[in-house]
Amino acid sequence: MTRHRLTTLLCLIAGAAPLFFGLNFLLNPGGAASGYGIDPWPTGNADGYFIVKGVRDIATAAVTFLLLGLGRRRILGWSVLINAVIPVGDALAVVTHGGTLTTALTVHISAASFLVLTAALLLTEQPHSAGPAATAAPSRSYVTR
């Protein structure tokens, strides 16, 4: 597997994971919350947090898929690196609101580490060329008068 394909696969995972989590928080808030690491979860008006979390995760996935689809790999690398702040913040929320350090590390810091690794691979990736013909000088097909 080439590095280009590996980073593409990692980016697909980096987009699919928050898409799954976001949809899960919107469609199954109680079940999604149980794996997050904070117990008990908010109730009443405070359970609107589930919608905020779900929409945030879906937007994160959308940006990842958009940049991947446009082939803007360097910008995608910076975006993935910036997005690594989100699971770090989630880990801090877990350890400061009654969750365990184990959950913060295994769930959230592992996700942040995955994103940092993916970003590092993207940011150090050489531009993908289409082969020897891609490096040839472009031909000029216009006539000057």
Side-chain angles (χ1 to χ4, degrees), residues 2-98:
T2 66
R3 183 171 176 172
H4 183 83
R5 288 182 188 217
L6 174 65
T7 55
T8 299
L9 176 63
L10 294 175
C11 288
L12 288 171
I13 294 168
L19 179 62
F20 169 78
F21 298 137
L23 289 172
N24 200 20
F25 265 94
L26 291 177
L27 303 174
N28 179 27
S34 66
Y36 186 83
I38 298 175
D39 193 38
W41 271 90
T43 58
N45 287 337
D47 71 359
Y49 166 80
F50 299 139
I51 295 169
V52 172
K53 171 125 175 54
V55 170
R56 175 195 77 172
D57 289 349
I58 292 169
T60 299
V63 170
T64 301
F65 289 138
L66 174 68
L67 293 173
L68 184 61
L70 292 174
R72 304 302 305 259
R73 296 177 77 82
R74 185 137 181 97
I75 297 170
L76 175 59
W78 286 111
S79 177
V80 169
L81 183 61
I82 291 166
N83 286 340
V85 172
I86 295 170
V88 171
D90 291 348
L92 290 172
V94 167
V95 296
T96 59
H97 290 85

